Amino acid sequence: MSNFIKIFENIPLPAGEKWIIAAGVFDGVHPGHQAIISAARRRAALSGALVMALTFVPHPRQLLAKESSPELLVSVDERVKMLLDAGADSCGFIDFSAETAALTPDEFLAGLRDNGVFEVSGICVGEKWRFGAKGSGNKGVLDRFCRENNWSFDAVKELELDGVTISSTAIRQALAAGDIAYAARLWGREVEMSGVVEHGFQIAGSKLAAPTANLKSGSLLPLPFGVYSGKVPLDGKTYTAILNIGVAPTFGNGLRRVEIHLLDFEGSLYGRNITVKVRRFIRSERKFDSPDALKEQIFKDIAEVRQNG
């Protein structure tokens, strides 16, 4: 069995320490995920251990159910940063491959134990976490293995909001419905996208009098195609923004893109990494008969956002 556990580059891994694993996919690092990190943090404090957040790359469904694999809420780099911010001392990942997916629950856990990188003394997971071939491993299997190997074990209950289990799936569903406010409540944070600004069609500024920043993001939130209001913190200021998420049907090539227009901003954004906080849905994306018709609608959108934020 090959070693399927890796440590993310540029993250220190002190030698000679024992580690409590907090395991999960952790897409979005929502409050339920944070509760698992917190449980691992409490357990580690009892024994002087450190906390290793162990995630999966790629997302298991991207391998096992590619046709229905979810759009990730955050990029892998963002996920790692959020896990460290949530209290993990280091982050590793399970290199999820066909070989890894075929491991029995006991083979998978033995791989964690005998990883050759760090010494495990316990594990924390969500109480409904499934692992091993065909998801055959569960809380009972984990409890037995941990007792046999003198590991601590914590299964953390799922959190709920308004009777709904907080999960990455629930957040995606709220986003897909365009309900940004509810998605933000489930997520426990503002809905945002980050990425590097790249060159686009070079049309918006010359023909439409509304220059846009085309955001190359590591994750594309499952939001309906359309126009949104947002905020962009930049150089100590916060700019009101209009976002178009979609395929820009009036000029586009059919590829999904995120275009951002910052109100009252002067200067160049090319090559900069920016974060846009998505606030609310304004209207659906549509194809216009002419650039002038689109230009007129953009002015209306700008006026609406100036008035209502």
Side-chain angles (χ1 to χ4, degrees):
M1 177 173 58
S2 62
N3 184 4
F4 55 83
I5 298 180
K6 315 292 182 184
I7 302 299
F8 283 100
E9 295 181 4
N10 303 321
I11 298 181
L13 189 66
E17 300 285 353
K18 293 187 177 182
W19 295 83
I20 303 292
I21 291 176
V25 176
F26 295 136
D27 182 31
V29 194
H30 58 63
H33 296 148
Q34 295 168 30
I36 295 172
I37 301 296
S38 294
R41 183 89 264 152
R42 291 191 295 272
R43 178 66 71 171
L46 295 175
S47 60
L50 298 175
V51 174
M52 169 69 68
L54 198 60
T55 185
F56 289 73
V57 179
H59 190 294
R61 280 174 57 188
Q62 290 178 327
L63 177 72
L64 301 175
K66 194 169 184 178
E67 301 78 11
S68 62
S69 63
E71 295 184 84
L72 299 181
L73 296 174
V74 296
S75 68
V76 173
D77 287 343
E78 290 170 327
R79 190 192 319 173
V80 170
K81 181 181 183 304
M82 293 166 74
L83 287 167
L84 293 172
D85 288 345
D89 295 297
S90 189
C91 289
F93 67 95
I94 292 168
D95 185 8
F96 197 74
S97 63
E99 180 185 13
T100 309
L103 296 173
T104 67
D106 279 283
E107 287 173 336
F108 178 82
L109 292 171
L112 295 184
R113 180 192 62 201
D114 305 326
N115 66 82
V117 182
F118 58 91
E119 183 179 354
V120 180
S121 63
I123 187 168
C124 291
V125 299
E127 66 174 355
K128 294 185 178 180
W129 190 57
R130 305 299 292 265
F131 64 98
K134 298 181 179 179
S136 53
N138 56 22
K139 181 171 67 172
V141 175
L142 269 167
D143 182 61
R144 172 188 54 79
F145 186 92
C146 288
R147 284 188 282 105
E148 291 173 353
N149 288 272
N150 197 31
W151 285 5
S152 64
F153 172 56
D154 294 277
V156 180
K157 288 186 177 181
E158 295 176 325
L159 301 182
E160 292 188 354
L161 176 68
D162 301 334
V164 174
T165 298
I166 296 175
S167 67
S168 302
T169 298
I171 295 169
R172 290 189 194 97
Q173 289 172 343
L175 290 172
D179 194 343
I180 296 168
Y182 185 53
R185 289 184 63 212
L186 286 167
W187 206 344
R189 66 195 294 267
E190 293 183 274
V191 174
E192 61 183 41
M193 304 175 71
S194 298
V196 176
V197 176
E198 60 182 4
H199 289 275
F201 296 126
Q202 309 295 308
I203 292 173
S206 59
K207 291 187 177 181
L208 303 179
T212 59
N214 297 279
L215 192 68
K216 183 178 181 181
S217 178
S219 61
L220 290 175
L221 299 176
L223 289 164
F225 286 0
V227 177
Y228 297 79
S229 70
K231 297 287 185 181
V232 175
L234 191 68
D235 298 333
K237 297 178 64 175
T238 298
Y239 292 89
T240 299
I242 295 178
L243 296 77
N244 188 91
I245 299 175
V247 295
T250 305
F251 297 110
N253 56 7
L255 298 177
R256 184 178 178 183
R257 58 199 299 111
V258 179
E259 298 176 289
I260 304 169
H261 172 64
L262 273 61
L263 275 60
D264 305 317
F265 173 80
E266 295 181 0
S268 174
L269 293 173
Y270 293 128
R272 297 191 63 173
N273 195 311
I274 66 171
T275 296
V276 56
K277 300 178 185 297
V278 187
R279 303 297 294 273
R280 61 185 179 88
F281 178 82
I282 297 174
R283 63 172 175 85
S284 297
E285 184 181 55
R286 63 187 177 92
K287 185 174 182 178
F288 290 85
D289 294 332
S290 68
D292 284 342
L294 174 55
K295 182 177 179 178
E296 182 180 353
Q297 182 60 58
I298 289 174
F299 287 153
K300 290 179 181 178
D301 294 338
I302 291 173
E304 200 275 351
V305 171
R306 284 194 187 280
Q307 181 176 349
N308 300 309

